[in-house]
Amino acid sequence: MEMPLVDHLEELRQRVLRSLLAVVIGAGVSLVAVKPLVRMLEAPAQGIHFLQLAPGEFLFVSFKVAGYTGLTLALPYVLFQVLAFVLPGLTLRERRLIAPAVAGSAVLFLAGLVFAWWALIPAALRFLVSYGADVVEPLWSIERYLDFVLLLMLATGLAFQLPVLQLLLGALGLVRWRTMLGAWRWVVLSSALAGAVLTPSTDPITMLLLGGAITALFLIGVALVALAENLKPGTP
């Protein structure tokens, strides 16, 4: 059923407001339990003493942690609102492509958060703590530490969207898997640069781990595109 432009804009406004409300509710719930969340984020930095260097620093940190957590909790509902707005205007083929891609994007984003928490953050902290440990005693600002952890997790979650982007480009016929694989040298170089840009620290361990993960995700994306091309009828 066709709708006037004004109705589309009103529907978009309603869905944006619902999504923002979900984020606010998630942040509010997270704020109630912010101290356990902060303790969990402090866990990889074992043996480090955190300081509050300015009045109200931990208060602002609490709002920041609650905001990131609320956005993560509300992500499935936000993606549902996006799909509910977009899908009615798409063809059946486009629906079959977009809906799994959005769902896969959410799964990969969460996988990126887990990978950053399980591998990147501990490796980065081990390097940063051990370097110069015999010269200086590590006393860290809680705000700067949580900025480091939250930004690294967010950057990793975004980097994990690469296979979804590749699959969309391949399904739309814009790029073939052989073309993607032929550009592997540029991908390795770009992964190293992305690892240097996306990581909030300057240690080589985190850069190498994130760059290696991006390269592995690229190869997974190539395999998915190749599988999708082979499943198409009449594909040479």
Side-chain angles (χ1 to χ4, degrees), residues 22-67:
V23 174
V24 171
I25 292 175
V29 173
S30 304
L31 189 60
V32 175
V34 71
K35 290 184 179 179
L37 287 173
V38 171
R39 292 192 188 98
M40 184 185 70
L41 293 173
E42 290 177 348
Q46 297 179 358
I48 301 297
H49 297 284
F50 294 100
L51 303 178
Q52 183 174 222
L53 301 181
E57 180 177 349
F58 184 72
L59 176 63
F60 294 119
V61 165
S62 300
F63 285 117
K64 190 178 299 185
V65 172

Side-chain angles (χ1 to χ4, degrees), residues 194-208:
V197 172
L198 294 177
T199 52
S201 65
T202 57
D203 65 285
I205 304 299
T206 310
M207 297 179 189
L208 289 174

